[in-house]
Amino acid sequence: MSFGNLVLIGVALFAILGAVGAFTIAFRRSQTDQAPEPVDPAAGLSTETIEADKSMAGVRVEPISVAAAEDAVDEIVVEVDAEETEPAPSTVAIEVVETQRVVEVSPEEAGVTRRQFFNRALNVTFFSFLGIMGVNSLAFFWPRLSGGFGTDVDAGDLAEVKSQVFTSDGSVLPLFVPEAKAYIVPAPSSLSEQYVGLQVETEGLMALFQRCVHLGCRVPWCGPSQGFECPCHGSKYNSVGEWFAGPAPRNLDRFVVEVQNGRFIIKTGSVVLTSRAPSLTVKYPQGPSCIGAVAVEEA
Ligand code: FES
């Protein structure tokens, strides 16, 4: 797994954790916003207080403002002063509870709220995720300038390649080059007119694209029949990729090849398409078909 994929997975996990955190906070808020449970007003009061409250049954109590309360107390003090002739003035203790004040502050004074913090964190996570996805996609589609499929692939020393492809008994054994997604096969001694001038043969070798031209399956080599046989829908080609049977609309595609400094080079950026061969330049089949053998066993 590449470093980019690990980073991608890490960011995705972070985004999921962020979403879960945001959901949890939103859920808690919705719980606290709900109406509170009704409270028993007599809870915690003494028996005497409850009895005193009962004696007030039927009396309507209305809230008054602090100023009105102070005026009322002043009146009581005046009345008491008037009634009391003897020294010992009476004192009435008043506790004025300051009402709660709501002070509006500017956004600068308030700073970043929790809601803003989580919104920004989610935005940063989301756009980071998008950015990494974009970079990965770009890297995936960006044409490779050196090495790998789509470029000139060095298949090895020409002599070594030949020694592997040409067998002592005269049969064909294609050399598969994974980096080029190609089979190197012996070219026919007399090249078909289809390939003249296309630079698809050099030093008696050709490089065939592994992909079936029908729907793109990888076409394996069948030793007994000495041809390529597609297991997907049964298209068959001879050892130089010429169409023989099946739904494939043309021969196997092939690459431009050349020899540079004794190395066999497959130019995988130059794919050559050819129509179905009017006649096979190499005999096929030369033995039992691999697809047919499988089909017989399954039946
Ligand atoms: S993909 Fe090969 S025959 Fe269909």
Side-chain angles (χ1 to χ4, degrees):
M1 187 176 290
S2 69
F3 177 72
N5 287 338
L6 284 175
V7 172
L8 201 61
I9 291 171
V11 171
L13 285 176
F14 186 63
I16 291 169
L17 286 176
V20 170
F23 175 77
T24 306
I25 290 168
F27 180 73
R28 280 189 179 176
R29 273 200 185 159
S30 69
Q31 292 292 91
T32 51
D33 288 347
Q34 288 177 1
E37 291 286 323
V39 179
D40 181 8
L45 297 179
S46 65
T47 311
E48 292 78 14
T49 306
I50 294 172
E51 289 302 320
D53 282 350
K54 283 181 182 173
S55 66
M56 293 291 288
V59 177
R60 190 159 61 94
V61 179
E62 294 180 348
I64 61 173
S65 64
V66 173
E70 288 175 343
D71 290 344
V73 170
D74 287 344
E75 285 178 14
I76 293 170
V77 171
V78 170
E79 285 175 11
V80 170
D81 286 344
E83 288 175 5
E84 296 290 336
T85 52
E86 286 306 308
S90 147
T91 305
V92 177
I94 302 170
E95 185 181 0
V96 179
V97 180
E98 188 178 356
T99 56
Q100 188 176 10
R101 291 188 303 158
V102 177
V103 180
E104 289 190 4
V105 295
S106 66
E108 290 75 24
E109 291 172 318
V112 179
T113 65
R114 188 169 54 178
R115 180 190 293 263
Q116 287 175 326
F117 173 78
F118 278 104
N119 282 343
R120 289 174 189 178
L122 278 176
N123 283 341
V124 168
T125 304
F126 178 69
F127 286 109
S128 301
F129 180 74
L130 276 187
I132 292 175
M133 284 284 289
V135 169
N136 271 302
S137 303
L138 202 61
F140 180 77
F141 290 111
W142 198 264
R144 302 178 68 169
L145 300 178
S146 64
F149 189 77
T151 66
D152 292 358
V153 175
D154 183 349
D157 181 74
L158 177 62
E160 288 181 13
V161 171
K162 280 188 171 181
S163 68
Q164 294 181 59
V165 172
F166 295 101
T167 60
S168 55
D169 63 359
S171 63
V172 171
L173 184 61
L175 172 64
F176 183 63
V177 183
E179 201 175 7
K181 301 180 182 178
Y183 293 101
I184 300 177
V185 296
S189 50
S190 57
L191 201 62
S192 165
E193 285 187 1
Q194 278 193 302
Y195 315 122
V196 173
L198 297 179
Q199 299 177 284
V200 294
E201 182 272 342
T202 184
E203 297 288 337
L205 297 172
M206 281 183 160
L208 307 179
F209 196 178
Q210 66 168 4
R211 188 186 63 183
C212 182
V213 295
H214 178 222
L215 291 179
C217 293
R218 183 188 168 192
V219 189
W221 171 252
C222 175
S225 67
Q226 290 284 284
F228 294 94
E229 299 178 354
C230 182
C232 294
H233 310 100
S235 289
K236 297 178 179 178
Y237 313 84
N238 68 4
S239 63
V240 289
E242 292 169 335
W243 175 85
F244 173 78
R250 60 180 188 270
N251 297 331
L252 281 180
D253 297 334
R254 55 207 69 219
F255 299 110
V256 170
V257 291
E258 65 183 22
V259 175
Q260 296 176 3
N261 302 321
R263 314 286 299 180
F264 188 77
I265 306 298
I266 305 175
K267 293 180 164 295
T268 56
S270 303
V271 184
V272 176
L273 282 56
T274 54
S275 56
R276 287 178 174 178
S279 61
L280 298 182
T281 54
V282 177
K283 183 184 173 197
Y284 175 86
Q286 300 179 28
S289 167
C290 296
I291 296 176
V294 172
V296 169
E297 282 176 13
E298 286 177 346

